[in-house]
Amino acid sequence: MSALMVLFSSLPAAAQSIMPRAPEVAASSYILMDATTGHIIMEENADEALPPASLTKIMTAYIAEVEIDNGNMSYDDQAYISEKAWRTQGSKTFVDVGSYVRVEDLLRGIIIQSGNDASVAMAEHIAGSEEAFADLMNQHAQALGMDQSLFLNSSGLDTPSGDTNLMSARDLMKLARATIQEHPDHYDIYSEREFTFNGITQGNRNSLLFRDPSVDGMKTGWTDRAGYCLVASAERDGMRLISVVMGTASEEARAVETQKMLSYGFRFYETHKLYDVGDVINTARVWSGAENSVELGINEEVYITIPRGRADELTATLDSEEFIRGGFEAGTVLGSVNVTLDDEVLYSGDVVAIEGVERAGWLKRLIDALTLFIMGLFN
């Protein structure tokens, strides 16, 4: 393999600014992530399994969105409201027992109003019973890599036996990211400030929707055991962040602590695009090929998260095959590239042939073979 170091910019790097330390966050557990890259900007106790209260409903809504997008259910489907759903205590959408409610209205009731009755009704409509739906929730959690989550019901209320659902801040972050990226057609519901059902208008409990125009989701939660919790997502100048706080002291505290995290992430970090699909990063010599050279490039869009203003300090180290012989197709892996900042590897990926190169005829192959032989004698 041969190595080549590439500077991303020929401009002189600006004087490196001091990166302030992350703010103190008054929560039992928290995490902040760049949604595009998956880079964790700050975290504390993010893998501790804690009661999530109504943050549970993000999973309930996620499964409904999966079923809709898979064609197994539609917004216009009518869900029957059982006595169990109707009697469920806590926050309500105020569905009527024995009635039929559109799935779309139930979904809005779950997301905007945090309706426990709507959550049970959705669970029963999808899985036949809330117990069966809880098993489905655990299956989806496993598929999403949510290793510290356990679901017993669709609402997040404590069970009659005193048990409760469990989720970690990192698991909630994974679920929020999947909701945003996998089911974007439904995500706008999380930004709606109020919903009226059965003649009753209720506001969204996420107060950041009313304070910060960049915040467009997601969900609040509270029980005595869980404290005040909030999963939030915001987008500014093409950068999307997801934050999770669990176990804060009050409604105001969960908003303030979340705002601290979002402000820190947006002010001091940026989502930087490294490569587009097909970007050429070098040209390599081809031996015994119909062409004498091949362009080497990237076959995926690549984004990284870096301290704001330091893009000019990035370097890329390219390792490619020392002797590339003709007879390969476009997309063939011919090396790798590592992108670093301050000796930290931010991206490592394959380098591929932008175009294929056919094998040369016998005369050119003979000439190139002799050339390589001679080079080998004198190197």
Side-chain angles (χ1 to χ4, degrees):
M1 301 284 283
S2 61
L4 173 70
M5 180 171 288
V6 180
L7 292 175
F8 277 85
S9 173
S10 60
L11 297 175
Q16 183 174 336
S17 58
I18 297 174
M19 172 61 71
R21 65 175 177 268
E24 297 290 333
V25 177
S28 300
S29 175
Y30 60 84
I31 194 167
L32 177 67
M33 180 187 70
D34 183 329
T36 301
T37 66
H39 179 84
I40 305 302
I41 295 174
M42 56 185 292
E43 64 176 293
E44 184 70 28
N45 296 331
D47 293 310
E48 183 178 357
L50 297 170
S54 284
L55 299 185
T56 294
K57 296 184 178 82
I58 302 176
M59 177 60 89
T60 303
Y62 173 81
I63 294 175
E65 292 158 7
V66 169
E67 292 299 302
I68 292 167
D69 288 347
N70 285 347
N72 299 326
M73 188 169 70
S74 78
Y75 274 170
D76 292 326
D77 284 357
Q78 299 289 321
Y80 179 73
I81 306 302
S82 69
E83 184 171 351
K84 177 183 177 180
W86 175 67
R87 288 188 180 278
T88 304
Q89 297 302 304
S91 53
K92 286 179 173 286
T93 298
F94 296 102
V95 294
D96 292 326
V97 64
S99 67
Y100 287 87
V101 177
R102 292 176 68 246
V103 162
E104 182 178 10
D105 290 333
L106 287 181
L107 190 59
R108 280 187 160 79
I110 293 166
I111 292 172
I112 302 169
Q113 300 173 335
S114 198
N116 294 327
D117 50 356
S119 298
V120 175
M122 183 71 82
E124 293 176 339
H125 180 68
I126 291 174
S129 72
E130 191 175 22
E131 292 76 18
F133 187 78
D135 184 57
L136 190 59
M137 296 170 83
N138 288 317
Q139 292 178 52
H140 277 278
Q142 185 176 19
L144 291 170
M146 298 168 58
D147 299 328
Q148 301 301 318
S149 293
L150 175 65
F151 295 100
L152 304 175
N153 59 43
S154 62
S155 66
L157 291 171
D158 292 350
T159 67
S161 64
D163 294 327
T164 183
N165 294 341
L166 293 172
M167 301 179 77
S168 68
R170 193 181 311 280
D171 284 356
L172 280 158
M173 175 203 68
K174 292 176 182 178
L175 177 59
R177 190 185 191 199
T179 296
I180 294 168
Q181 294 185 343
E182 296 175 12
H183 306 287
D185 291 343
H186 310 287
Y187 181 64
D188 285 347
I189 297 176
Y190 284 93
S191 68
E192 294 179 17
R193 296 185 177 187
E194 63 180 31
F195 176 56
T196 301
F197 183 81
N198 238 352
I200 302 170
T201 300
Q202 298 183 70
N204 197 313
R205 290 168 170 78
N206 182 2
S207 62
L208 289 182
L209 293 174
F210 304 86
R211 302 184 187 188
D212 184 341
S214 70
V215 174
D216 54 14
M218 292 187 61
K219 188 76 189 69
T220 62
W222 174 82
T223 62
D224 284 334
R225 293 173 67 176
Y228 292 85
C229 309
L230 174 59
V231 175
S233 184
E235 186 174 27
R236 299 181 193 173
D237 300 324
M239 182 182 193
R240 175 170 291 281
L241 298 179
I242 297 172
S243 66
V244 181
V245 294
M246 304 181 74
T248 68
S250 66
E251 289 186 26
E252 179 65 13
R254 71 185 174 194
V256 169
E257 300 308 307
T258 296
Q259 194 73 74
K260 283 184 194 177
M261 296 167 65
L262 293 175
S263 296
Y264 176 77
F266 283 125
R267 184 173 299 278
F268 297 111
Y269 288 85
E270 62 181 319
T271 307
H272 180 73
K273 190 171 190 177
L274 275 177
Y275 301 112
D276 273 314
V277 176
D279 275 357
V280 176
I281 61 175
N282 196 31
T283 301
R285 177 73 162 90
V286 176
W287 301 92
S288 301
E291 305 292 336
N292 291 324
S293 64
V294 62
E295 291 181 332
L296 304 180
I298 303 297
N299 62 356
E300 62 180 340
E301 280 190 329
V302 179
Y303 293 86
I304 58 173
T305 305
I306 58 174
R308 189 168 292 278
R310 297 195 63 192
D312 290 342
E313 301 172 52
L314 295 168
T315 58
T317 303
L318 170 65
D319 289 314
S320 62
E321 298 292 338
E322 188 170 1
F323 296 107
I324 299 174
R325 289 177 170 81
F328 53 83
E329 298 178 348
T332 300
V333 175
L334 297 176
S336 63
V337 62
N338 291 321
V339 178
T340 60
L341 179 67
D342 295 336
D343 297 324
E344 179 186 0
V345 177
L346 300 179
Y347 171 74
S348 181
D350 291 332
V351 172
V352 302
I354 298 298
E355 295 180 347
V357 175
E358 294 182 357
R359 194 179 182 209
W362 70 269
L363 180 59
K364 189 172 188 301
R365 295 202 310 271
L366 177 60
I367 293 171
D368 283 357
L370 290 172
T371 303
L372 288 173
F373 177 75
I374 294 171
M375 290 173 60
L377 289 177
F378 290 99
N379 284 339

